[in-house]
Amino acid sequence: MPLTLFYHSALEAGTDEAGRGCLAGPVTAAAVILPPDFKNTLLTDSKQLSEKQRNTLRPIIEREAVSYAVAHVLPAEIDTLNILRASITAMHRAIGQLSVPPEFIAVDGNKFVPYQKIPYACIVKGDGKIQTIAAASILAKTYRDAYMEELALQFPEYHWQQNKGYPTPEHRKAIASYGATPHHRKTFQLLPETQLSLF
């Protein structure tokens, strides 16, 4: 089924985040306003696409969007806010950076805090239904992945170029061996019932 606009407005911003379930790195959100006539048969939820497909779509979205923006909330702030509030904060920051103010916000998921007085709707699994959210999911994912690949150059033992900070067995084994870095989320359970040595 082809993706659609939710509000059917020329200025509908879709927003989504990436990295909520990670042990390290930021939670990253994007906001995207697409032209109403935008069409791309590859566009769907970023989780359903390969890395190559996401990287193919990213420049297309950036080139054709009316406006787009990406924002990171870093681990220290995640630990202060909690991950839900941090995710919504990242969405708000991305929306606030759009060069064109949206008339409506389509949000992936079921939780949001109103941004200014702009009407919005939460759509569960919206990244597979609404094209502006799908586009935001791709930008959030590709920008966050690139961020983690840069960090991996400084901390190669954690293999972030592969696991992107998610709780894979390999990542947890590295935490057990080397401790937590400044890029780990200290309020997350990095290792079950284990005292961590922190850098």
Side-chain angles (χ1 to χ4, degrees):
M1 191 168 94
L3 303 188
T4 64
L5 288 170
F6 184 84
Y7 185 57
H8 299 287
S9 163
L11 295 176
E12 171 186 305
T15 187
D16 197 7
E17 52 70 30
R20 275 184 70 164
C22 293
L23 302 180
V27 62
T28 302
V32 180
I33 300 174
L34 293 173
D37 60 351
F38 179 87
K39 285 185 176 58
N40 189 297
T41 55
L42 190 57
L43 183 64
T44 190
D45 170 13
S46 64
K47 295 185 290 296
Q48 304 302 318
L49 299 171
S50 67
E51 182 177 10
K52 182 179 179 181
Q53 289 171 322
R54 289 192 295 268
N55 288 331
T56 296
L57 280 166
R58 173 176 158 175
I60 295 170
I61 293 165
E62 292 176 336
R63 183 176 65 247
E64 298 195 27
V66 174
S67 183
Y68 72 89
V70 178
H72 302 292
V73 171
L74 301 179
E77 193 171 3
I78 293 170
D79 289 336
T80 299
L81 292 174
N82 78 45
I83 188 60
L84 175 59
R85 287 176 59 202
S87 298
I88 294 171
T89 296
M91 290 180 183
H92 280 199
R93 289 177 184 167
I95 295 164
Q97 291 169 23
L98 292 170
S99 60
V100 180
E103 295 176 350
F104 185 85
I105 302 167
V107 183
D108 185 60
N110 61 2
K111 297 253 191 319
F112 193 62
V113 173
Y115 179 78
Q116 297 181 357
K117 295 184 178 179
I118 301 171
Y120 71 92
C122 293
I123 302 105
V124 175
K125 298 185 179 177
D127 45 9
K129 302 171 185 174
I130 308 299
Q131 63 177 3
T132 54
I133 298 177
S137 78
I138 288 162
L139 293 194
K141 174 66 174 163
T142 54
Y143 273 79
R144 189 184 183 282
D145 283 358
Y147 186 103
M148 295 307 295
E149 287 161 11
E150 285 291 317
L151 285 185
L153 299 176
Q154 301 173 49
F155 298 91
E157 58 270 29
Y158 297 90
H159 306 285
W160 288 334
Q161 75 281 6
Q162 295 168 338
N163 62 56
K164 306 300 190 288
Y166 282 91
T168 63
E170 181 183 54
H171 187 188
R172 285 202 149 120
K173 183 178 178 182
I175 295 169
S177 297
Y178 304 105
T181 72
H183 302 286
H184 281 96
R185 303 172 185 179
K186 306 306 188 292
T187 54
F188 280 49
Q189 191 168 12
L190 302 181
L191 290 174
E193 300 177 7
T194 301
Q195 285 293 107
L196 292 170
S197 60
L198 303 181
F199 289 179

